[in-house]
Amino acid sequence: MNPIRVLIAEDEPVARQGMRVWLEESGIEVVAEAGTGVQAVELARAHHVDVVVMDLNMPEQDGITATREIRRTRPHSRILAFTSFSDIRHLRAAVRAGVHGFVLKDRESDDLVRAVRALADGEAHFGPGTADHVVALLQEIPEQPCPPDLQDLSATQLRILSLMVDGYDDPAVARLLFLQLKTVRSRVSEMKETTGLRTRAELIALARRAGMGSPFPSTSAWDAQSPS
């Protein structure tokens, strides 16, 4: 099997060196290192990497913004937030930006290695210190009464549709609801068939008319605010 290819984005040279040693000793290939958010985006474009280990507090361009850029240009690369921030504000912003996992810097080196391997295998990973925040984040997605026009949809379909209304794409919906991407896409197709609509836009328009949507749309201030 080919080794996992990793880009390290961390502004502290000593920390980058330590991460490189931890990963390479575990058989993971570090193909590039970035000291700024701008460099991280450039190197992610230049190299085919499986996982980007991203510090959220980066100079020139913060890790949240850099994550968004990388996810747009390299959607198959998976992003692991490796940070000292453990509050729900940063977790929320990181998930919305497109991260697939979250590991705190004060954890053991084995935690970083496990997280990188999990992401490379297509899994999400939220390590110790963040699990309670993930639960709280999910609890922010409200259960809503079913509008009459959508009464034939299942509870899962309604939760997916509510996030779609707020502007989340299928990968983001999958992350927030901890579903497989193929499951989300299948449910969207089922919703169109059930409602007799042909396009995603028509489905979202119907849901908006029915008053669907969550109280924290993806264009909220949380998305615009950089970690500090």
Side-chain angles (χ1 to χ4, degrees):
M1 295 178 61
N2 294 327
I4 299 169
R5 294 168 56 85
V6 169
L7 163 64
I8 297 174
E10 162 64 57
D11 62 324
E12 293 292 339
V14 174
R16 286 201 307 271
Q17 179 61 28
M19 293 159 67
R20 174 183 281 273
V21 170
W22 296 342
L23 294 170
E24 290 184 340
E25 285 182 347
S26 300
I28 296 170
E29 180 182 358
V30 177
V31 299
E33 298 179 14
T36 71
V38 172
Q39 289 177 356
V41 174
E42 293 173 347
L43 290 170
R45 289 172 178 166
H47 298 274
H48 172 74
V49 296
D50 301 303
V51 178
V52 179
V53 180
M54 177 69 72
D55 183 6
L56 297 185
N57 189 26
M58 295 283 281
E60 294 186 9
Q61 185 180 68
D62 64 85
I64 297 295
T65 304
T67 292
R68 289 196 189 98
E69 292 289 321
I70 293 170
R71 292 289 293 135
R72 187 174 68 249
T73 59
R74 285 288 186 267
H76 298 298
S77 295
R78 298 174 66 79
I79 314 294
L80 175 67
F82 186 65
T83 176
S84 57
F85 298 114
S86 61
D87 58 282
I88 193 169
R89 176 170 70 90
H90 290 99
L91 178 62
R92 182 191 289 112
V95 168
R96 289 177 174 172
V99 303
H100 302 85
F102 211 93
V103 172
L104 299 181
K105 287 187 175 182
D106 62 357
R107 305 302 302 178
E108 298 294 330
S109 60
D110 287 349
D111 290 334
L112 174 63
V113 173
R114 278 195 298 270
V116 168
R117 292 192 183 281
L119 264 64
D121 286 340
E123 301 174 4
H125 181 94
F126 292 90
T130 63
D132 288 345
H133 293 323
V134 173
V135 172
L137 182 62
L138 289 173
Q139 289 172 342
E140 291 182 357
I141 305 172
E143 294 287 354
Q144 296 181 330
C146 182
D149 290 342
L150 303 172
Q151 61 186 356
D152 292 330
L153 300 185
S154 69
T156 298
Q157 289 171 336
L158 289 171
R159 289 175 72 84
I160 290 171
L161 184 54
S162 178
L163 290 173
M164 288 167 54
V165 171
D166 288 332
Y168 292 97
D169 60 12
D170 289 349
V173 171
R175 287 192 301 273
L176 285 170
L177 298 182
F178 289 87
L179 298 172
Q180 293 290 326
L181 178 56
K182 64 180 180 181
T183 299
V184 172
R185 289 174 173 167
S186 176
R187 297 297 175 269
V188 172
S189 296
E190 291 168 359
M191 285 189 281
K192 288 189 286 188
E193 182 176 352
T194 299
T195 58
L197 300 175
R198 294 182 299 173
T199 69
R200 183 187 186 93
E202 290 175 338
L203 190 60
I204 291 173
L206 174 63
R208 282 179 176 152
R209 290 195 298 271
M212 293 190 69
S214 78
F216 59 97
S218 58
T219 54
S220 71
W222 290 115
D223 292 311
Q225 188 168 356
S226 300
S228 59

